């Protein structure tokens, strides 16, 4: 266990160091969701009777989808370049390799979340701290799972990586649209709502919205936690298995 | 106890349409501590696949091996902690500064941060890379990149180092430079080196033991000298107007005005050969001896030339 924690810290530090060396990239990573929040959020506010309470958690879930996919892309470039091979020959714990990488994305997500919440406060966002903390914890669990799945995809797509781009581009939009992150699914036709039920991201979005409005006991929180846990389990299982099979 | 010991190591790959390719077909191998071993063979012979199995990157389909005292299948972490590996591609990630990668590498092997930093500085110095510490790998020359790969493989001071085509793709000057570093580091640390190469001269000049692999099987194993003497032998080439008779007398083969004969030790056999021909009043206008190359060995074993295949993978 101590080896696992040490190795996770090692991988996390390695991933994070380039951002510290070149903070400009970090600044742009911060700006992107903010742009989204203000441009899209303002539009949406005029169109429906939704609130920041509804929109902020959605933005965070959206970033929790794109962030881990980004870390899969990093892994793909490392697989193509050769540095992944060198890390695989080292005694690093295999699960720590998956978790440490995703935690870097999660750290960025955490910073983004703090920034968004701070900026949304004067616009009328109500802060329920316990709910927000619990919500972010759930996102970390989901992120680790999604990150691992995107690593599996990256490993399968090496050496050319075409499959990685195809699948991530293809999967991202249905997952987002059918989760109700940007637009409410409940107002859509019946078939759309049914498809939404098999989308784990939808449960996460519902759970986040309950948590961010302070309803910690809502049943949707339980469903969201179960969905995140399931994605994490499947992701870590598939990820470590893929690495054991050799690269 | 040998530092590498393999029995019946086999690996096959399943391609699409259920086709299987047997990359390595039952390799037995014992490598003694401290040796510099060259694993030589044409592209696709199974060199890298064998290396990837020994370094735990790829599980074998059949067979077993212990490396540095640990079983590759049951205790891969035990193997990983004790070996160094420099692959064919670049070991350093493109996003990272040279020194950051070296420190990270030390951390991967469990070194505490201060020790990882100290080792990073030591290997930078050892491989003449101190000035490059803050650069990114993409800004280095080919030779510098290869030295960085070596530095990364040496951070944790392994007793056994695997090198996969260490000098492929480098110009002759960089190759010589990389080799002088490898040999010096080996002198200093006294480690075992197991390397794959398809450069014949490299295997011939550097390795204490040459293992030739073809089509997934080991076809020859020994010192370069032994292999050349046993499997190819020396040649004497004579130029004479009476090649046919000269060939008859010496037991060689005539080809136009030259006679070529295979002997165990050409410099020792040449005077005797000349005296015989002289006694029969055959005039020899030119005589030369030729030592075999490892390519002659490969040619003698397989009927193919390794040099034909000398294209970087």
């Amino acid at each position: 266990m101590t080896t696992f924690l040490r190795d996770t810290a090692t991988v996390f530090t390695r991933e994070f160091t380039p951002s510290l060396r070149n903070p400009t990239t970090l600044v742009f990573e911060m700006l992107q969701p903010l742009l989204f929040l203000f441009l899209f959020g303002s539009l949406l506010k005029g169109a429906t009777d939704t609130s920041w309470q509804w929109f902020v958690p959605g933005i965070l879930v959206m970033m929790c989808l794109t962030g881990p996919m980004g870390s899969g892309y990093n892994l793909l470039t490392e697989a193509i370049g050769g540095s992944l091979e060198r890390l695989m020959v080292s005694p690093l714990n295999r699960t720590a390799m998956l978790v440490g990488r995703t935690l870097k994305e999660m750290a960025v997500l955490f910073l983004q979340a703090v920034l968004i919440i701070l900026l949304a406060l004067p616009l009328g966002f109500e802060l329920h701290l316990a709910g927000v903390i619990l919500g972010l914890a759930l996102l970390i669990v989901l992120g680790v799972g999604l990150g691992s799945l995107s690593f599996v995809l990256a490993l399968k797509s090496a050496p050319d990586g075409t499959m990685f781009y195809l699948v991530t581009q293809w999967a991202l939009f249905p997952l987002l649209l059918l989760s109700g992150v940007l637009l409410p699914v409940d107002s859509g036709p019946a078939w759309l709502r049914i498809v939404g039920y098999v989308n784990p991201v939808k449960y996460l979005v519902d759970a986040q919205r309950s948590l961010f409005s302070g309803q910690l006991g809502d049943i949707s929180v339980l469903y969201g936690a179960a969905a995140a846990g399931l994605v994490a389990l499947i992701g870590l299982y598939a990820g470590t298995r893929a690495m054991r099979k050799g690269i | 106890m040998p530092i590498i010991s393999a029995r019946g190591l086999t690996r096959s790959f399943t391609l699409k349409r259920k086709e299987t390719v047997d990359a390595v077909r039952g390799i037995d191998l014992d490598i003694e501590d401290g040796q510099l071993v060259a694993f030589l063979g044409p592209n696709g012979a199974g060199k890298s696949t064998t290396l990837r199995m020994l370094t735990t990157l790829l599980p074998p389909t059949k067979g077993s091996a212990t490396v540095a005292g640990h079983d590759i299948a049951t205790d891969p972490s035990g193997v990983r902690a004790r070996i160094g590996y420099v692959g064919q591609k670049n070991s350093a990630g493109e996003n990272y500064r040279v020194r950051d990668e070296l420190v990270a590498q030390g951390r991967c092997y469990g070194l505490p941060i201060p020790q990882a930093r100290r080792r990073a500085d030591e290997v930078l110095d050892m491989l003449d890379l101190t000035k490059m510490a803050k650069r990114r790998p993409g800004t280095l020359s080919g030779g510098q990149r290869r030295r960085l790969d070596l530095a990364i493989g040496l951070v944790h001071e392994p007793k056994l180092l695997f090198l996969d085509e260490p000098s492929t793709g480098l110009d002759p000057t960089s190759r010589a430079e990389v080799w002088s570093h490898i040999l010096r580091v080996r002198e200093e640390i006294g480690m075992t080196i197991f390397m794959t190469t398809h450069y014949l001269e490299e295997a011939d000049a550097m390795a204490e033991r040459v293992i030739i692999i073809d089509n997934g099987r080991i076809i020859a194993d020994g010192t370069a000298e032994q292999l050349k003497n046993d499997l190819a032998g020396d040649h004497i080439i004579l130029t004479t107007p009476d090649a046919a008779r000269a060939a008859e007398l010496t037991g060689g083969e005539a080809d136009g005005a030259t006679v070529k004969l295979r002997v165990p030790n050409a410099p020792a056999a040449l005077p005797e050969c000349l005296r015989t021909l002289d006694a029969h009043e055959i005039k020899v206008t030119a005589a030369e001896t030729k030592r075999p190359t490892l390519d002659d060995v490969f040619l003698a074993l397989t009927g193919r030339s390794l040099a034909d295949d000398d294209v970087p993978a």
Side-chain angles (χ1 to χ4, degrees):
Chain A
M1 194 59 199
T2 49
T3 332
F4 172 75
L5 293 179
R6 187 197 67 199
D7 289 353
T8 306
T10 299
V11 176
F12 174 82
T13 313
R14 177 172 181 267
E15 288 295 305
F16 210 78
T17 311
S19 302
L20 292 178
R21 297 276 186 226
N22 188 6
T24 329
T25 52
L26 210 56
V27 170
F28 274 95
E29 273 181 297
M30 296 293 140
L31 283 179
Q32 191 229 342
L34 291 185
L35 271 180
F36 213 81
L37 183 72
F38 284 105
L39 296 179
F40 203 76
S42 307
L43 271 177
L44 205 67
K45 224 172 149 51
T48 62
D49 57 349
T50 52
S51 65
W52 293 109
Q53 223 65 34
W54 185 87
F55 197 65
V56 168
I59 286 288
L60 292 179
V61 172
M62 189 184 81
M63 291 186 306
C64 188
L65 288 182
T66 51
M69 282 185 185
S71 70
Y73 170 77
N74 286 342
L75 189 89
L76 181 64
T77 49
E78 292 215 69
I80 296 169
S83 47
L84 179 67
E85 197 175 81
R86 148 211 148 206
L87 293 170
M88 299 287 286
V89 179
S90 85
L92 270 185
N93 180 294
R94 309 288 116 160
T95 315
M97 284 178 76
L98 297 175
V99 177
R101 271 174 187 273
T102 318
L103 282 186
K104 186 252 163 175
E105 304 302 325
M106 293 299 114
V108 174
L109 180 73
F110 179 77
L111 291 176
Q112 287 171 327
V114 171
L115 202 60
I116 285 175
I117 289 167
L118 285 180
L119 286 164
L121 277 177
L123 299 171
F125 177 78
E126 240 178 278
L127 181 65
H128 300 276
L129 195 60
V132 168
I133 290 172
L134 212 59
L136 288 177
L138 270 191
L139 285 185
I140 290 177
V141 175
L142 175 74
V144 167
L146 286 177
S148 302
L149 286 176
S150 103
F151 296 150
V152 176
L153 185 61
L155 290 177
K156 298 261 181 230
S157 315
D160 67 349
T162 320
M163 191 164 79
F164 183 81
Y165 303 112
L166 275 177
V167 175
T168 49
Q169 289 305 312
W170 192 88
L172 186 62
F173 283 100
L175 278 179
L176 275 179
L177 287 174
L178 293 175
S179 70
V181 164
L182 305 171
L183 294 162
V185 187
D186 298 331
S187 54
W191 65 266
L192 201 73
R193 285 199 301 264
I194 291 165
V195 179
Y197 280 121
V198 295
N199 180 3
V201 184
K202 185 193 182 306
Y203 295 97
L204 255 297
V205 174
D206 291 346
Q208 295 297 326
R209 288 197 174 128
S210 301
L211 287 169
F212 273 64
S213 8
Q215 296 157 336
L216 271 62
D218 197 275
I219 188 75
S220 65
V221 175
L222 194 68
Y223 288 149
L230 194 67
V231 172
L233 275 180
I234 295 173
L236 287 177
Y237 171 75
T240 32
R241 209 183 82 117
M243 284 201 282
R244 270 206 201 100
K245 270 180 78 182
I247 56 165
Chain B
M1 208 182 104
I3 193 156
I4 300 175
S5 174
R7 290 292 171 271
L9 212 54
T10 302
R11 175 74 205 197
S12 49
F13 293 100
T14 310
L15 300 179
K16 279 167 195 159
R17 288 186 291 269
K18 311 264 184 226
E19 231 180 302
T20 56
V21 171
D22 299 315
V24 174
R25 311 159 184 243
I27 278 185
D28 296 331
L29 199 63
D30 285 297
I31 307 289
E32 295 307 319
D33 208 352
Q35 277 187 328
L36 198 170
V37 179
F39 206 42
L40 183 71
N43 286 330
K47 300 185 298 277
S48 291
T49 306
T50 305
L51 206 71
R52 295 168 76 77
M53 287 193 278
L54 293 175
T55 54
T56 76
L57 277 172
L58 199 65
T61 317
K62 262 196 301 206
S64 64
T66 55
V67 174
H70 296 258
D71 192 289
I72 55 165
T74 58
D75 185 14
S77 345
V79 175
R80 289 174 190 141
R82 285 161 186 83
I83 61 167
Y85 170 76
V86 178
Q88 278 183 33
K89 294 191 276 184
N90 296 308
S91 294
E94 292 302 330
N95 275 330
Y96 305 89
R97 289 186 185 179
V98 165
R99 186 171 177 275
D100 288 344
E101 272 294 68
L102 289 166
V103 176
Q105 180 75 352
R107 301 280 296 136
C108 290
Y109 285 83
L111 297 184
I113 293 169
Q115 217 176 319
R117 288 190 178 141
R118 206 196 64 225
R119 274 302 293 163
D121 293 330
E122 281 173 13
V123 289
L124 279 173
D125 183 52
M126 201 192 285
L127 290 151
D128 283 340
L129 288 167
T130 307
K131 280 186 194 151
M132 313 294 159
K134 288 188 175 172
R135 303 250 297 256
R136 288 203 193 186
T139 66
L140 304 181
S141 73
Q144 287 167 340
R145 282 200 84 131
R146 213 57 190 137
R147 265 150 52 204
L148 174 58
D149 295 339
L150 272 177
I152 290 174
L154 291 169
V155 165
H156 59 293
E157 300 178 87
K159 290 298 288 169
L160 169 62
L161 184 65
F162 288 92
L163 303 172
D164 199 358
E165 309 268 355
S167 62
T168 295
L170 296 179
D171 61 80
T173 322
S174 304
R175 266 172 82 181
E177 197 185 66
V178 163
W179 265 108
S180 79
H181 280 290
I182 294 175
L183 294 177
R184 191 170 46 80
V185 167
R186 183 185 172 227
E187 194 86 3
E188 281 169 25
I189 309 178
M191 58 190 171
T192 311
I193 296 182
F194 186 85
M195 66 156 186
T196 70
T197 182
H198 59 239
Y199 287 126
L200 299 155
E201 329 81 73
E202 214 166 79
D204 200 342
M206 309 297 177
E208 286 143 7
R209 180 173 166 194
V210 177
I211 298 170
I212 301 180
I213 179 173
D214 185 43
N215 218 351
R217 287 196 184 88
I218 291 175
I219 54 170
D221 183 352
T223 66
E225 283 307 300
Q226 280 168 357
L227 295 181
K228 287 188 280 191
N229 289 339
D230 299 353
L231 297 164
D234 289 5
H235 283 97
I236 292 175
I237 298 148
L238 305 168
T239 311
T240 166
D242 201 358
R245 264 194 76 210
E248 205 175 299
L249 285 164
T250 55
E253 264 175 55
D255 179 17
T258 60
V259 176
K260 196 174 175 188
L261 56 143
R262 196 183 137 173
V263 291
N265 184 350
L270 183 60
E272 179 59 37
C273 177
L274 290 175
R275 272 196 296 277
T276 312
L277 293 174
D278 202 39
H280 289 83
E281 290 180 354
I282 293 170
K283 194 181 169 200
V284 176
T285 54
E288 63 172 317
T289 61
K290 223 180 123 201
R291 290 285 295 144
T293 62
L294 285 175
D295 194 33
D296 296 321
V297 173
F298 191 77
L299 190 69
L301 286 166
T302 65
R304 286 175 289 130
S305 169
L306 247 179
D308 294 345
D309 195 68
D310 207 2
V311 208

